[in-house]
Amino acid sequence: MKVYSTWKNSTYLFDFFIEEISNLQEDQITKIAAVKTGIYTKDKQLLWKGKIRVKLNEFGIYPIPEDLSGIGLPGSVLKMLVIELRRYIKPQKPFL
């Protein structure tokens, strides 16, 4: 799913696709989703492409910080990424 996000005169395109879902061994309620992610400028120039793992449980949707820290982009882009990633997963959560 492609999502355009604008914040403070910056526009980015985020491309998300859930590739796999797995349960944590110690906790059957918490799941981890591997989300294939692409970050593009508004001119569709690729900035970053890779996988981000996201924990899902009854309390919320939490991207794994180690995956986010490996992305070498400004903090504002990462904040937009987290917001759009949660917004992408939230309607699908009951079906995962």
Side-chain angles (χ1 to χ4, degrees):
M1 177 177 179
K2 294 185 190 291
V3 178
Y4 279 98
S5 183
T6 302
W7 188 67
K8 290 190 176 182
N9 298 325
S10 299
T11 302
Y12 294 96
L13 172 68
F14 298 100
D15 188 14
F16 300 119
F17 182 76
I18 297 176
E19 287 193 332
E20 82 179 85
I21 301 290
S22 61
N23 288 333
L24 286 177
Q25 297 294 347
E26 67 271 0
D27 186 6
Q28 294 299 320
I29 297 171
T30 303
K31 297 179 180 181
I32 295 181
V35 181
K36 183 178 167 184
T37 306
I39 303 172
Y40 302 88
T41 63
K42 65 180 175 182
D43 301 327
K44 298 186 180 176
Q45 179 184 3
L46 179 65
L47 297 176
W48 183 83
K49 192 171 190 175
K51 286 186 185 177
I52 297 176
R53 294 171 295 159
V54 180
K55 283 186 183 180
L56 310 162
N57 61 24
E58 61 189 41
F59 303 110
I61 301 165
Y62 308 100
I64 296 180
E66 292 86 17
D67 293 349
L68 294 174
S69 66
I71 301 172
L73 294 174
S76 61
V77 177
L78 295 178
K79 288 178 187 177
M80 291 168 64
L81 172 64
V82 169
I83 291 168
E84 295 301 337
L85 191 57
R86 286 180 175 170
R87 191 178 293 170
Y88 169 70
I89 291 178
K90 188 173 182 177
Q92 300 180 44
K93 188 177 173 184
F95 305 105
L96 299 177

